[in-house]
């Protein structure tokens, strides 16, 4: 049975990943860590951890007897543009510390990359697994450097590093903070609460997206995959759907016919979205470890609205 330490456990992915891992591997085998304390009761072991403190990370991993580290703590794209130096220090410093802990304790390692690792010169349609990566955001620079570092730790030190390039993730549990794809989460909240939404991303801007249950399953499947089948190991393209704002609005209107959509485009986040692909090609993940997403836009919308209505009522 794996013993897993997770950083950024109270973040958008982390808060659901912890529950998923505890249901797969047992509550006591998953240590949640974050820079802030959880608000309510925790479902299992929790420790405070600032990921820029490598010594503390190493001590916690040793004390817990962890054999796997899932490093989720990071600043997202829009927030990273507001404070690039802080983003570099947190995103790269945290990742280096986590990789060093994995090397010191010979642990299996996971960290997510992102569609943000691509840039304006990357092919926009069916973006290949191996292609041009010249991102124009600090987040993208961090993600490309992170992908290369994970490859380096595998080749140089034999660390079992694995990872995916996540698209925008949509969930009714924890809200994202400071991402470019956040509009596709906000819209569901506003649809239920106000029956209308003003999008900060322009009509016609396509981005890849995925519902959180598919993202969590992808992490577990990749970590369990037969290593001899992994040609890429890190930064697999994964996606479940690609849509633009008016298409998600139309999917919501099937359930809330009076739902109104307006636009007030934020130039910073629009600029980031314009630099990213429209639709990435996940065929390497499908071939090498059987990646599969269950939810398309309609299935996700039905589930999101039903779950959010319950949560908000
Ligand atoms: C963001 O918008 O920054 C993230 C991402 C696609 O990595 N959701």
């Amino acid at each position: 049975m794996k013993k897993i330490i997770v950083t950024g456990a109270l973040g958008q992915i982390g808060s659901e990943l912890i529950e998923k891992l505890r249901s797969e591997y047992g509550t006591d085998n998953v240590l949640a860590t974050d820079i802030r304390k959880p608000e309510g009761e925790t479902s299992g072991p929790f420790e405070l951890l600032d990921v820029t403190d490598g010594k503390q990370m190493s001590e916690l991993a040793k004390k817990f007897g962890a054999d796997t580290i899932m490093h989720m703590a990071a600043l997202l794209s829009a927030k990273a543009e507001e404070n690039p130096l802080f983003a570099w220090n947190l995103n790269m410093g945290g990742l280096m510390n986590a990789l060093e802990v994995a090397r010191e304790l010979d642990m299996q390692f996971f960290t997510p990359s992102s569609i943000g690792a691509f840039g304006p010169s990357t092919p926009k349609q069916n973006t290949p697994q191996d292609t041009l990566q010249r991102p124009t955001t600090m987040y993208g620079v961090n993600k490309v450097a992170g992908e290369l570092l994970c490859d380096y730790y595998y080749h140089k030190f034999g660390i079992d590093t694995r990872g995916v390039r996540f698209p925008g993730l949509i969930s009714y549990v924890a809200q994202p903070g400071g991402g470019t794809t956040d509009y596709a989460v906000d819209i569901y909240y506003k649809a239920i609460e106000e029956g209308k939404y003003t999008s900060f991303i322009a009509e016609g801007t396509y981005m890849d997206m995925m519902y959180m249950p598919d993202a969590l399953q992808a992490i577990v499947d990749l970590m369990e995959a037969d290593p001899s089948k992994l040609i890429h190991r890190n930064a697999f393209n994964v996606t479940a759907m690609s849509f633009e704002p008016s298409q998600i609005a139309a999917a919501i209107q099937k359930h809330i016919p009076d739902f109104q959509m307006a636009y007030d485009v934020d130039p910073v986040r629009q600029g980031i979205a314009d630099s990213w692909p429209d639709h990435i090609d996940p065929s390497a993940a499908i071939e090498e470890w059987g990646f599969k997403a269950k939810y398309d836009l309609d299935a996700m919308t039905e589930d999101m609205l039903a779950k959010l209505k319950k949560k908000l009522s």
Side-chain angles (χ1 to χ4, degrees):
M1 190 60 85
K2 285 183 192 296
K3 290 274 276 182
I4 308 170
I5 178 170
V6 180
T7 70
L10 301 182
Q12 191 208 7
I13 306 177
S15 50
E16 287 184 72
L17 180 61
I18 288 294
E19 300 313 317
K20 172 82 175 171
L21 295 174
R22 285 184 173 152
S23 74
E24 296 275 339
Y25 303 109
T27 301
D28 293 338
N29 291 323
V30 180
L31 174 63
T33 70
D34 204 285
I35 196 162
R36 62 193 163 95
K37 278 194 183 137
E39 269 161 27
E41 286 288 295
T42 57
S43 66
F46 178 88
E47 296 278 356
L48 282 172
L49 171 66
D50 174 352
V51 293
T52 61
D53 184 346
K55 194 162 163 276
Q56 197 202 358
M57 195 188 290
S58 163
E59 277 162 11
L60 285 178
K62 270 189 213 141
K63 197 171 103 193
F64 189 64
D67 57 23
T68 303
I69 182 160
M70 296 195 178
H71 178 59
M72 314 306 290
L75 217 59
L76 292 182
S77 56
K79 274 269 171 269
E81 279 320 280
E82 280 169 21
N83 199 341
L85 181 60
F86 177 65
W88 175 268
N89 289 336
L90 176 69
N91 291 352
M92 299 317 298
L95 178 61
M96 259 320 235
N97 287 337
L99 282 165
E100 271 301 292
V101 171
R103 183 172 75 86
E104 185 195 355
L105 305 177
D106 194 19
M107 298 159 93
Q108 198 190 23
F109 183 92
F110 175 88
T111 201
S113 184
S114 157
I115 52 171
F118 298 119
S121 53
T122 302
K124 271 195 169 301
Q125 304 298 335
N126 282 324
T127 307
Q129 177 65 41
D130 300 310
T131 187
L132 257 177
Q133 288 183 265
R134 304 289 293 175
T136 47
T137 62
M138 177 49 92
Y139 181 67
V141 170
N142 297 165
K143 288 300 183 190
V144 176
E147 292 181 4
L148 294 173
L149 267 177
C150 290
D151 284 350
Y152 180 81
Y153 270 69
Y154 170 65
H155 289 298
K156 176 91 177 170
F157 304 117
I159 300 306
D160 184 3
T161 54
R162 304 186 184 197
V164 294
R165 289 185 188 124
F166 272 136
L169 297 182
I170 296 166
S171 154
Y172 59 90
V173 178
Q175 281 189 272
T180 302
T181 57
D182 295 10
Y183 91 89
V185 180
D186 300 345
I187 192 170
Y188 288 108
Y189 280 83
K190 288 282 188 295
I192 291 171
E193 287 169 340
E194 296 173 21
K196 57 180 188 210
Y197 180 64
T198 303
S199 173
F200 58 78
I201 293 294
E203 190 171 357
T205 311
Y206 282 85
M207 284 185 276
D208 282 291
M209 303 280 175
M210 196 187 291
Y211 199 30
M212 190 62 86
D214 283 331
L216 302 177
Q217 195 57 51
I219 295 175
V220 171
D221 289 349
L222 174 57
M223 293 303 272
E224 292 291 345
D226 175 353
S228 69
K229 303 256 163 63
L230 300 181
I231 300 162
H232 289 88
R233 301 199 70 92
N234 294 298
F236 281 97
N237 282 1
V238 291
T239 182
M241 61 195 100
S242 166
F243 56 75
E244 53 90 18
S246 75
Q247 291 174 325
I248 188 171
I252 290 172
Q253 276 158 352
K254 290 182 192 164
H255 303 267
I256 308 174
D258 294 338
F259 175 68
Q260 301 283 319
M261 182 80 154
Y263 296 88
D264 181 11
V265 173
D266 168 20
V268 173
R269 285 178 287 187
Q270 184 63 39
I272 296 174
D274 287 340
S275 77
W276 289 355
D278 288 356
H279 187 39
I280 61 173
D281 171 13
S283 54
I286 295 168
E287 281 155 28
E288 293 175 38
W289 50 277
F291 165 70
K292 195 171 175 332
K294 281 205 222 141
Y295 289 87
D296 62 11
L297 176 57
D298 282 332
M300 174 179 78
T301 299
E302 189 176 338
D303 200 61
M304 265 302 272
L305 289 174
K307 299 274 171 45
L308 263 187
K309 260 183 206 152
K310 245 197 211 155
K311 179 178 164 180
L312 298 174
S313 67

